[in-house]
């Protein structure tokens, strides 16, 4: 536990008064002012003793286990991925026994032994021994406050429920309700879907939250780092605890981001943190254990207005770039200009083209971004997405010919992110086409 700051303030105040005005006044009255050189070191020793005794409850003596558990609630049973950090405040070797339900235990560093004889531990940092009652981790002597990190899987257990949802989804809006049925109070709950993020805040167990499209944030980039920044950016950071939680969520989402990057059209994620998740992964009573968990769940639900064919970000359909200045991964334009050509599935007629943001909105306006589309009929580029986020049907017919579309991006900055451009279409009527 952390020591009470007020006690130390009182103690230091008394110490300063004794070696200062009080000590001087008393010694002057006794005509022993020369004894001040005895009073100061004696007082220092006594008050250091008090500080030592007062801080005894906050000193660390035994290893500390910290866990972060990723829990997939989207299947018939819950699947837990556990990350365990063992922090040793001392230098001595120690042994930790893990619960027998934990499987596939692997370290996240080198110099370990798996199932080796204990006599061979001189050249390695630790060993992993599987026993019937549990897995034994033997940690060798190391520097004080050194930590060892392990990853492991928990045997599947009976699912409680997870998240319940009743949603109406379109390509650019989210409406409906989400209910927390995980069995835990969650903080920083959010939903990612179709390039949109909605922060649901804190949700108690069995609480239902209504989602409005006014609360959603467009995610311009689909890489893990950008999505993590969008999620963490909505979290409060006024207190030390809130800042710590925000930093933790940022790193979690960066780590977890491969799930977001691989999301297909119509796939979404719900996720939320617990303040505490105590599962006694470590069986040693001498080792203090603290844990949190990230509950997450994927779902599939196509946007109601997506049509038969839907491409959330046309950069995924890029087939040609003249200067290689457009990055599909970062969704960015480098070096001020590039021309890009896109190709779509020929079995569909593209009926709708729209963007997530206008070029006159920030940060695109700040970077001087302009978007032009090639008019195949007039043989020229025409500027788009200045006043309307969606092209007219006449524009679509002029800009997309034989399932090809050509766009020129211009910017006054050497680097600018691009808004997402989406298309949707209907399956070609073969009889009409013939």
């Amino acid at each position: 536990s952390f020591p009470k700051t007020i006690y130390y303030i009182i103690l230091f105040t008394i110490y300063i008064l004794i070696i200062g005005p009080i000590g001087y006044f008393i010694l002057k009255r006794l005509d022993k002012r020369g004894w001040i050189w005895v009073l100061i070191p004696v007082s220092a020793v006594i008050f250091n003793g008090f500080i030592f005794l007062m801080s005894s409850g906050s000193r660390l003596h035994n290893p500390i286990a910290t866990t972060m558990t990723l829990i997939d609630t989207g299947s018939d049973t819950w699947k837990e991925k556990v990350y365990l950090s063992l922090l040793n405040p001392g230098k001595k070797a120690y042994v930790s026994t893990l619960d027998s339900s934990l499987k596939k235990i692997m370290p996240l560093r080198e110099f370990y032994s798996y199932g080796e004889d204990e006599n061979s531990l001189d050249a390695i940092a630790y060993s992993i021994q599987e026993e019937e009652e549990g897995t034994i981790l033997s940690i060798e002597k190391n520097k004080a406050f050194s930590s060892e990190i392990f990853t492991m899987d928990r045997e599947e257990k009976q699912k409680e429920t997870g998240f319940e949802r009743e949603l109406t989804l379109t390509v650019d809006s989210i409406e409906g309700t989400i209910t927390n049925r995980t069995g835990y109070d969650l903080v920083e709950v959010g939903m990612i879907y179709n390039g949109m993020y909605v922060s649901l805040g804190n949700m108690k167990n069995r609480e239902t939250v209504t989602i409005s499209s006014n609360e959603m944030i467009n995610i311009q980039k689909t890489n893990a780092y950008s999505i993590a920044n969008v999620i963490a950016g909505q979290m409060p950071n006024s207190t030390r605890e809130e800042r710590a939680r925000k930093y933790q969520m940022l790193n979690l989402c960066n780590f977890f981001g491969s799930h977001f990057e691989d999301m297909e059209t119509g796939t979404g994620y719900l996720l939320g943190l617990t303040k505490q998740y105590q599962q006694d992964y470590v069986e040693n009573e001498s080792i203090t254990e603290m844990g949190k968990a990230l509950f997450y769940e994927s779902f599939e639900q196509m946007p109601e207005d997506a049509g038969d064919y839907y491409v959330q970000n046309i950069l995924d359909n890029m087939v040609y770039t003249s200067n290689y200045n457009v990055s599909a991964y970062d969704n960015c334009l480098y070096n001020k200009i590039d021309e890009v050509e896109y190709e779509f599935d020929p079995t569909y007629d593209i009926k709708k083209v729209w963007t997530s943001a206008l070029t006159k909105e920030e940060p695109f306006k700040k970077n001087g971004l302009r978007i032009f589309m090639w008019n195949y009929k007039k043989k020229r580029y025409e500027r788009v997405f200045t006043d309307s986020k969606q092209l007219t049907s006449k524009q679509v017919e002029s800009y997309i010919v034989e399932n090809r579309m050509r766009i020129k991006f211009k910017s006054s900055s050497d680097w600018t992110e691009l808004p997402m451009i989406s298309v949707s279409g209907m399956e070609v009527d073969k009889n009409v086409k013939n």
Side-chain angles (χ1 to χ4, degrees), residues 408-424:
K408 180 187 289 186
F409 297 100
K410 284 186 175 182
S411 173
S412 59
S413 173
D414 288 332
W415 175 90
T416 182
E417 62 179 303
L418 300 174
M420 282 201 298
I421 300 175
S422 308
V423 303
S424 66

Side-chain angles (χ1 to χ4, degrees), residues 11 17 43 66 70 86 123 135 147 197 203-204 214 236 352 423:
L11 186 65
L17 290 173
S43 299
T66 306
L70 304 182
L86 288 169
T135 300
S147 61
Y197 176 73
M203 293 182 67
K204 294 186 178 297
N214 296 329
K352 184 179 178 182
V423 303

Side-chain angles (χ1 to χ4, degrees), residues 192 194 221-225 227 253 255-269 298-300 312 316 329:
I192 298 174
N194 193 36
K221 305 178 188 178
T222 56
N223 60 68
Y225 178 77
I227 294 175
C253 291
F255 177 80
F256 193 64
S258 59
H259 292 72
F260 305 143
E261 292 180 356
D262 297 335
M263 282 194 299
E264 297 180 355
T265 299
T267 300
Y269 271 92
S298 65
F299 64 90
E300 295 183 1
Q312 178 185 336
D316 297 332
Y329 178 76

Side-chain angles (χ1 to χ4, degrees), residues 1 56-66 85-96 139 143-147 282 284-290:
S1 61
S56 61
S58 60
R59 285 196 296 272
L60 299 176
H61 302 281
N62 298 316
I64 297 175
T66 306
S85 172
L86 288 169
L87 175 69
N88 185 13
K91 297 181 180 181
K92 294 182 179 180
Y94 65 96
V95 174
S96 173
I139 313 296
K143 296 179 181 178
F145 290 97
S146 60
S147 61
V282 180
N284 308 65
E285 293 184 1
S286 60
I287 297 179
T288 303
E289 182 177 341
M290 302 176 292

